[in-house]
């Protein structure tokens, strides 16, 4: 995928990643901490994480195309390097989302839980928080580096006069 309506696809697809990764991370942590939320959401949690997982390589491929079509300065290279590191985090979100969904279907309500179920749930909570935080921080770092690559020296620090803005 290279262009969408004349614009580089990466510029459009990146918005999906910026929204979906934090949304998936938040949903995962919420469902891991609150099993009733996981039961209510049902398949929505793992499907959301799957859509997020699919969006990352599409965005990365579009970014690689764009990288070949812009001047390759150090900021662009840094952004590309950081972008390559997001897929493992999002894969972790998906695996944990599927696991939390499965656990919520297999374990009884909190008042009738077993010790093994409690240990599994605590492990899911801890892993979910760690992976969700890692994914969100990584998206922030990638986005920040992309903004710097796109906008460095591309605007004036002082306002310019134009005819109709008075």
């Amino acid at each position: 995928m290279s262009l969408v309506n004349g614009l580089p696809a990466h510029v459009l697809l990146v918005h999906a990643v910026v929204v979906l990764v934090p949304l998936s991370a938040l949903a995962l942590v919420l469902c891991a901490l609150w099993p009733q939320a996981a039961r209510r959401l049902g398949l929505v949690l793992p499907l959301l994480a799957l859509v997020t997982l699919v969006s990352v390589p599409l965005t990365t491929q579009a970014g690689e195309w764009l990288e070949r079509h812009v001047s390759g300065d150090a900021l662009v290279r840094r952004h590309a390097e950081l972008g390559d590191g997001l897929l493992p985090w999002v894969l972790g979100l998906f695996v944990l989302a599927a696991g939390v969904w499965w656990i919520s279907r297999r374990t009884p309500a909190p008042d009738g839980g077993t010790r093994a179920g409690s240990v599994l749930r605590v492990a899911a909570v801890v892993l979910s928080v760690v992976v969700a935080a890692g994914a969100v921080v990584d998206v922030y770092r990638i986005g920040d580096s992309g903004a710097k690559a796109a906008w460095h020296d591309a605007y004036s620090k002082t306002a310019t006069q134009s005819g109709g803005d008075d």
Side-chain angles (χ1 to χ4, degrees), residues 49-76:
L50 179 62
V51 170
T52 304
L53 178 61
V54 169
S55 72
V56 170
L58 290 175
T59 304
T60 303
Q61 284 180 326
E64 288 170 357
W65 178 90
L66 181 58
E67 183 181 14
R68 292 189 300 273
H69 291 83
V70 298
S71 62
D73 66 5
L75 293 174
V76 171

Side-chain angles (χ1 to χ4, degrees), residues 16-87:
V17 171
V18 167
V19 169
L20 289 173
V21 170
L23 184 61
S24 294
L26 179 63
L28 173 61
V29 170
L30 177 71
C31 289
L33 288 170
W34 189 25
Q36 187 176 353
R39 283 192 278 283
R40 283 189 179 180
L41 281 178
L43 276 174
V44 171
L45 176 64
L47 288 177
L48 174 62
L50 179 62
V51 170
T52 304
L53 178 61
V54 169
S55 72
V56 170
L58 290 175
T59 304
T60 303
Q61 284 180 326
E64 288 170 357
W65 178 90
L66 181 58
E67 183 181 14
R68 292 189 300 273
H69 291 83
V70 298
S71 62
D73 66 5
L75 293 174
V76 171
R77 284 191 300 277
R78 175 71 176 147
H79 175 64
E81 289 169 6
L82 287 172
D84 289 338
L86 182 59
L87 189 59

